[in-house]
Amino acid sequence: MRWKRFVASVWYALNGIRLAVCYERNMRVHLVAAIIVVVAAAVFRVSKMEWLVLLITIGIVISLEIVNSAIERTVDLVTDEYRPLAKEAKDLAAGAVLVFAFLSIIIGISIFLPYLHVFFKNSLHFHK
């Protein structure tokens, strides 16, 4: 019986991810960015520690986006009319995503900048 409940909870979670991908534009933007980062990490052959940092960063951004979407839907469920506290709840959740999205850009730059420097330095020497 426990196994069935576990499988059901996994299906519910996967459905939540599907809903976020299908209905949330920002989630699709984050996924495209994540794909670009993963491809770049593979091309530049980043270290194991850099892979871990990138994967954790991607996971947190995507998780925050899903939580933000859940908060927005919950607020919309509670009220149809404009309420300042409802707006603040939505803005706060979106702000959390934005803060970590900017932090993830800084993390990405700090990881990829040395690789890009070597890449462009080598390609400039190659063309001489």
Side-chain angles (χ1 to χ4, degrees), residues 1-16:
M1 192 57 88
R2 289 183 184 164
W3 178 251
K4 285 185 179 183
R5 279 188 274 158
F6 173 75
V7 170
S9 67
V10 170
W11 279 113
Y12 296 142
L14 290 172
N15 186 54

Side-chain angles (χ1 to χ4, degrees), residues 15-126:
N15 186 54
I17 294 168
R18 181 190 66 78
L19 289 170
V21 172
C22 289
Y23 297 108
E24 299 297 327
R25 178 184 48 85
N26 288 342
M27 175 58 97
R28 292 190 296 274
V29 170
H30 292 309
L31 285 175
V32 168
I35 290 167
I36 292 168
V37 166
V38 168
V39 168
V43 167
F44 289 121
R45 297 181 181 178
V46 300
S47 72
K48 183 188 287 188
M49 188 58 68
E50 290 167 331
W51 265 112
L52 292 173
V53 170
L54 291 171
L55 292 175
I56 289 168
T57 303
I58 290 167
I60 292 172
V61 169
I62 289 173
S63 296
L64 280 171
E65 187 61 47
I66 292 170
V67 170
N68 177 47
S69 298
I71 290 170
E72 288 181 355
R73 282 183 167 80
T74 302
V75 168
D76 290 344
L77 179 68
V78 171
T79 181
D80 285 338
E81 61 191 57
Y82 176 81
R83 294 186 182 208
L85 285 176
K87 180 187 181 318
E88 288 177 16
K90 289 178 158 188
D91 291 351
L92 288 165
V97 178
L98 185 63
V99 166
F100 202 81
F102 278 132
L103 181 59
S104 70
I105 290 169
I106 294 168
I107 290 168
I109 289 170
S110 69
I111 288 174
F112 287 112
L113 200 57
Y115 293 99
L116 290 169
H117 175 74
V118 169
F119 174 77
F120 286 116
K121 183 178 173 186
N122 289 341
S123 59
L124 288 177
H125 283 103
F126 180 73

